Amino acid sequence: DAGVIQSPRHEVTEMGQEVTLRCKPISGHNSLFWYRQTMMRGLELLIYFNNNVPIDDSGMPEDRFSAKMPNASFSTLKIQPSEPRDSAVYFCASRPLDREQFFGPGTRLTVL
Amino acid sequence: GQQVMQIPQYQHVQEGEDFTTYCNSSTTLSNIQWYKQRPGGHPVFLIQLVKSGEVKKQKRLTFQFGEAKKNSSLHITATQTTDVGTYFCAGNYKLTFGKGTLLTVNP
């Protein structure tokens, strides 16, 4: 099993540009989570999906952030327009029912 | 909403010393999970505790869940350099993570 796959692994962009982060969860896992990690704020849950349906997006910082899960094997997190304060490592994680989370390697985003 | 606090935020030890990190929740937890993140890596699951007062061991690591299911601890006996990393606790289904405890070990 390849584990959770995230792309790109690194992204450098300029303020105002659109950024799309991608995640392929582990096959058979029914929940998917997007996290943001910074030194100041730690690991923050942005949104999570259950069976492709967004359940809780209260952690999404503002309207510039959006997430979709069109099918069980793919999810995107989009930031439009991006700002320097969005610079962070973004993790995607998936989990089977009532089990532990499996994290992807993360995408390190730098917004200049 | 639910908050999970971890202390200490940082801990530096000499190799061979013991280490403990504590996790406290503002609400009763149905379960708690512990994760370890190596520098530059991603969080990796260590263990889940479900029952009140539960104690689990993994080699040199001992995990406890409080009787009231509002706190938990991770104790490492005789730390090694391979123990370096950030240890996170996370509670309930949504997994609200604490800020973690960064452990550094001096060889």
Side-chain angles (χ1 to χ4, degrees), chain A residues 30-31 33 35 37 39-43 45 48-50 56 58 91 95 97-101 103-106 108, chain B residues 9-10 31 33 35 37 40-48 86 88 90 92-100 102:
Chain A
N30 66 324
S31 297
F33 302 75
Y35 291 90
Q37 186 174 42
M39 288 293 292
M40 289 295 293
R41 302 171 73 95
L43 196 59
L45 176 64
Y48 80 93
F49 296 83
N50 216 25
D56 186 343
S58 59
F91 288 104
R95 69 183 280 179
L97 187 63
D98 293 335
R99 291 277 310 280
E100 70 271 22
Q101 290 195 350
F103 282 77
R108 182 172 295 277
Chain B
Q9 198 171 354
Y10 307 97
N31 63 70
Q33 297 184 354
Y35 291 76
Q37 183 178 21
H42 58 275
V44 174
F45 173 78
L46 293 176
I47 207 159
Q48 174 171 283
T86 301
F88 292 96
N92 289 345
Y93 183 81
K94 208 169 83 164
L95 288 190
T96 303
F97 278 81
K99 286 212 163 83
L102 173 61

Side-chain angles (χ1 to χ4, degrees), chain A residues 51-98:
Chain A
N51 296 321
N52 312 339
V53 176
I55 301 300
D56 186 343
D57 65 354
S58 59
M60 296 286 261
E62 45 197 274
D63 291 345
R64 297 184 298 106
F65 285 68
S66 62
K68 293 182 179 179
M69 192 165 185
N71 56 63
S73 58
F74 184 65
S75 178
T76 58
L77 178 68
K78 187 176 292 187
I79 309 172
Q80 165 65 14
S82 57
E83 296 182 4
R85 61 193 167 120
D86 301 331
S87 298
V89 179
Y90 290 81
F91 288 104
C92 174
S94 69
R95 69 183 280 179
L97 187 63
D98 293 335

Side-chain angles (χ1 to χ4, degrees), chain B residues 43-98:
Chain B
V44 174
F45 173 78
L46 293 176
I47 207 159
Q48 174 171 283
L49 304 172
V50 178
K51 298 177 184 175
S52 169
E54 189 170 13
V55 178
K56 286 189 177 179
K57 292 191 174 187
Q58 287 180 350
K59 297 183 181 177
R60 295 177 296 104
L61 277 61
T62 302
F63 303 84
Q64 283 191 301
F65 202 7
E67 293 290 340
K69 300 182 75 172
K70 293 181 74 172
N71 57 72
S72 181
S73 65
L74 158 59
H75 179 81
I76 303 179
T77 304
T79 54
Q80 300 175 358
T81 55
T82 53
D83 296 325
V84 164
T86 301
Y87 292 85
F88 292 96
C89 62
N92 289 345
Y93 183 81
K94 208 169 83 164
L95 288 190
T96 303
F97 278 81

